[in-house]
Amino acid sequence: MKKPTYKYPDFVSKVELKSEKGKRYWLNLEIDKNKSDGITVILKNPSRADKLISDKTVFNVSNYIYRNREKYSELKDAGKITILNLIPNYLTDSSGLKEFRETIIDRENIRTLNEYCGKNNNVIIAWGNHPSGLYHEYEQLKAETKKILTENQNQVFYVDKMTVAGNPKHGQVWGYDNVLKKITEL
């Protein structure tokens, strides 16, 4: 069965990204050119979204933020959404990420996480549970990301709930009525 093609929502006026060699390091979506603040969302890994087409997760995350701007003061002034990932490898089914085990901890991606967490104060973590076969690597990436968030003194949020394994609910499965919650301690 062919996966559906997602277009960017009409409110997205500009899309920029950095991708190379099967990896996407960042994706910026302009949602309101009259607002200067940015918000960063950290997911697991990119699926298909590029400059021309979105994917289910990016579509869902951008709609959640846009629709809830009046509900949450942290989203009110967001003119740009930056999508980052713990793992930069493009792959729709994360169970295949284990074949990249040797290079999954990508220094350029760590640098990118630090750069954008330094630019945007508000960060939503939404990486979901471990990819199959990468528990230790995922734990290392999460620890490094939490250190970056702490050092940058970011305001960190998640949507709805943590999973049984203690990970923030993945952005692909957020409901528009799910509550945005602040994390007091990483």
Side-chain angles (χ1 to χ4, degrees):
M1 185 165 122
K2 188 175 182 234
K3 289 195 174 283
T5 299
Y6 287 85
K7 295 183 180 343
Y8 284 103
D10 290 341
F11 57 81
V12 174
S13 56
K14 186 176 179 184
V15 177
E16 297 175 310
L17 63 106
K18 178 182 178 187
S19 67
E20 56 190 41
K21 299 177 185 162
K23 297 180 178 186
R24 188 185 74 214
Y25 291 101
W26 52 263
L27 175 69
N28 284 330
L29 308 175
E30 184 177 78
I31 61 169
D32 189 335
K33 58 183 94 189
N34 298 316
K35 297 188 177 183
S36 58
D37 285 0
I39 187 160
T40 297
V41 180
I42 305 174
L43 299 164
K44 183 182 298 182
N45 73 289
S47 173
R48 300 190 300 167
D50 61 22
K51 199 162 175 82
L52 302 175
I53 63 159
S54 184
D55 58 34
K56 186 177 190 318
T57 303
V58 171
F59 184 87
N60 201 43
V61 165
S62 59
N63 268 293
Y64 177 88
I65 291 169
Y66 188 80
R67 287 183 177 191
N68 284 296
R69 291 183 307 160
E70 300 306 315
K71 188 174 179 180
Y72 300 107
S73 61
E74 298 84 4
L75 306 178
K76 182 178 58 123
D77 294 320
K80 185 180 282 186
I81 301 168
T82 299
I83 306 284
L84 305 176
N85 293 279
L86 293 180
I87 301 166
N89 302 72
Y90 266 116
L91 199 63
T92 300
D93 182 356
S94 68
S95 67
L97 287 168
K98 61 183 168 262
E99 67 185 74
F100 301 108
R101 173 178 274 112
E102 301 305 316
T103 59
I104 210 85
I105 297 173
D106 183 301
R107 290 312 236 177
E108 174 66 14
N109 196 55
I110 302 293
R111 189 199 63 70
T112 300
L113 284 161
N114 194 38
E115 176 186 341
Y116 280 95
C117 291
K119 286 181 184 178
N120 297 332
N121 186 45
N122 291 332
V123 176
I124 302 174
I125 58 173
W127 49 67
N129 286 330
H130 304 80
S132 173
L134 290 173
Y135 180 84
H136 296 293
E137 294 84 353
Y138 206 61
E139 286 299 306
Q140 187 177 340
L141 287 166
K142 286 168 35 184
E144 198 140 359
T145 301
K146 288 176 180 180
K147 181 178 174 217
I148 288 168
L149 294 167
T150 301
E151 287 173 355
N152 282 294
Q153 299 179 347
N154 293 103
Q155 299 291 315
V156 182
F157 303 88
Y158 65 99
V159 173
D160 190 35
K161 62 184 177 183
M162 293 290 191
T163 67
V164 173
N167 291 298
K169 185 175 177 178
H170 195 282
Q172 187 179 64
V173 293
W174 292 352
Y176 299 129
D177 292 334
N178 286 167
V179 177
L180 181 70
K181 298 178 180 176
K182 186 172 182 181
I183 294 179
T184 54
E185 190 175 317
L186 288 168

